[in-house]
Amino acid sequence: MITITPHAAARLALMIAEERDADALGIKLVPTTTGCGSYTYSIAITEKQPGDLVQEMHGIRIFYQELDVEKVTGTVIDCDEKSGRFSITHPLPLQTDCPHTIN
């Protein structure tokens, strides 16, 4: 459903391990609409909240809401080895017929 690359998982594991309550933590994947039916994504290190579904990959717990299943299915979380920046991609193409889209 959601994929975390090994490098991203290793970086996230290090970040989570720095937290006092690391054993209770995972990452929350949150889709946000761009206004035209396409999504951008954010992640946050947090505890599981009521109603969260949980997926585990490479030792990282991923939390998301049931109403977001369709929006997060196929999402890939990666981390650039040089910059350390995370990227979150989804296989669905961005809508290009949106008046808010810059071409």
Side-chain angles (χ1 to χ4, degrees), residues 10 12-13 18 20 22-23 26-27 31 34-35 38-39 55 57 62 69-70 76 82 84 92 94-95 103:
L12 286 165
E18 293 176 353
R20 183 172 33 100
D23 291 343
I27 61 166
T34 61
S38 298
Y39 297 96
Q55 177 185 329
M57 177 172 270
I62 308 164
V69 168
E70 183 178 309
V76 177
K82 291 181 182 174
L92 293 178
L94 292 173
Q95 290 189 350
N103 292 326

Side-chain angles (χ1 to χ4, degrees), residues 2-4 8-10 12-13 16-17 19-30 43-49 52-64 77:
I2 299 167
T3 301
I4 299 179
L12 286 165
I16 291 170
E19 299 296 325
R20 183 172 33 100
D21 52 351
D23 291 343
L25 299 176
I27 61 166
K28 177 86 171 207
L29 181 60
V30 181
I43 57 174
I45 295 174
T46 188
E47 294 179 350
K48 181 181 180 294
Q49 300 298 310
D52 279 350
L53 300 177
V54 182
Q55 177 185 329
E56 189 166 327
M57 177 172 270
H58 301 297
I60 303 296
R61 288 181 296 275
I62 308 164
F63 309 132
Y64 54 93
I77 301 170

Side-chain angles (χ1 to χ4, degrees), residues 13 17 28-29 31 33 54 75 85 97:
K28 177 86 171 207
L29 181 60
T33 185
V54 182
T75 301
R85 292 183 57 126
D97 59 345

